[in-house]
Amino acid sequence: MDASTSGVCGMDSKRKFMILGDLAVLLVSFIWGATNVVIRDALGGITPFWFCALRFATACACVMLIFGRRAAAMSAQDKIAGTFTGAVFILAYLAGAVGLLYTTAGNQSFIISTSVVFVPLAVWLLTRRFPGWHVIISVLLCTAGTAGLVLDGDLSVNFGDLLSAAAMFFVTAYILLVQKFAANADPCGLSCWQAFGGMAVAAAAALIFEPMPLNVPAKAWAAIIYAGTIGFALTLVLQTTAQKYTSPTHVAILLSTSGIFGSVLGIIFLGEPMTWRIFIASALILAGILLVETLPARREKRSSGD
């Protein structure tokens, strides 16, 4: 096997792992969209900070039970990195939870989803490498599609919108931190420390700002268990592992599909209306994903053919 053939094989292998990573992130996005549908009407009996604290505690117990030995074997530096990354992630949840008291769910969903713009911009600034016009066009398509999914006529800005913008920056930072730390660490062990960091910050916020819940309804407990296990523990491990093989820009673009999945599942299971706006917006997001996923593969195929 000559050097050129070896290089092509290595490129194909890297591309396959990237596609697998992208599919894992797409599954994470589906689960996030499904989680919003599942828990939408089940949180009437618990305050938002306590819901986050119990959700992260459930997730931490799950991942520590399965991967606790791997987490314990990590270096002190990796443990701190994972804990800090989880703390950043929960800050996005907490800012979003308070923001919803002052703004609409649609406005917040759109504002947080603009991380699809800020992640590639941050990577560009940090690495000084232009991501390519196909990525820029894909980002614009996903942003326009997300706007069509979640925004109505009222575009005014209020305190809740500002908190939602803070949540968006925390999400952006989280994606970049996972990319940085997952490259040289055990992703499963790192997930354990992320869950621990998130649980610690959420519990502290709940104890400081909200009264202890004395009577949590069964529906709320079911939502906590689902959101903590499938909705967070599983997605945490999937995303952290996937980011070893794919780029943060791909992650941000693929996570923008959670709005599509949430809308479709809401139509199927909650009887929400299907409109032309949802259809066109979803098509824009899908076009953006297809562009960023297929164009590099076509270029690689063309260059290998040469």
Side-chain angles (χ1 to χ4, degrees), residues 106-158:
N107 274 17
Q108 182 174 99
S109 296
F110 174 69
I111 292 168
I112 293 177
S113 71
T114 55
S115 62
V116 74
V117 176
F118 285 92
V119 167
L121 287 179
V123 172
W124 187 2
L125 290 173
L126 292 172
T127 64
R128 306 293 182 183
R129 288 201 304 256
F130 181 59
W133 283 109
H134 70 291
V135 172
I136 301 300
I137 295 171
S138 176
V139 164
L140 293 175
L141 287 170
C142 290
T143 303
T146 304
L149 280 177
V150 302
L151 287 184
D152 293 318
D154 185 9
L155 301 179
S156 60
V157 177
N158 55 39

Side-chain angles (χ1 to χ4, degrees), residues 30 37 260-274:
F30 172 81
V37 173
I260 295 179
F261 292 126
S263 295
V264 171
L265 292 171
I267 290 166
I268 294 172
F269 294 106
L270 300 180
E272 295 178 347
M274 175 63 179

Side-chain angles (χ1 to χ4, degrees), residues 128-231:
R128 306 293 182 183
R129 288 201 304 256
F130 181 59
W133 283 109
H134 70 291
V135 172
I136 301 300
I137 295 171
S138 176
V139 164
L140 293 175
L141 287 170
C142 290
T143 303
T146 304
L149 280 177
V150 302
L151 287 184
D152 293 318
D154 185 9
L155 301 179
S156 60
V157 177
N158 55 39
F159 180 61
D161 293 332
L162 295 177
L163 285 174
S164 300
M168 180 274 295
F169 281 112
F170 285 128
V171 169
T172 300
Y174 172 73
I175 292 174
L176 296 174
L177 286 170
V178 172
Q179 194 74 23
K180 175 180 175 62
F181 296 133
N184 301 309
D186 176 5
C188 296
L190 196 66
S191 298
C192 292
W193 293 109
Q194 286 183 66
F196 173 76
M199 176 189 69
V201 173
L207 287 168
I208 293 170
F209 296 109
E210 293 180 347
M212 180 81 72
L214 300 177
N215 185 22
V216 179
K219 282 180 66 175
W221 275 116
I224 290 166
I225 292 170
Y226 172 85
T229 53
I230 297 174

Side-chain angles (χ1 to χ4, degrees), residues 2 102 130 156 162 182 282 286:
D2 58 25
Y102 304 98
F130 181 59
S156 60
L162 295 177
S282 300
L286 290 174

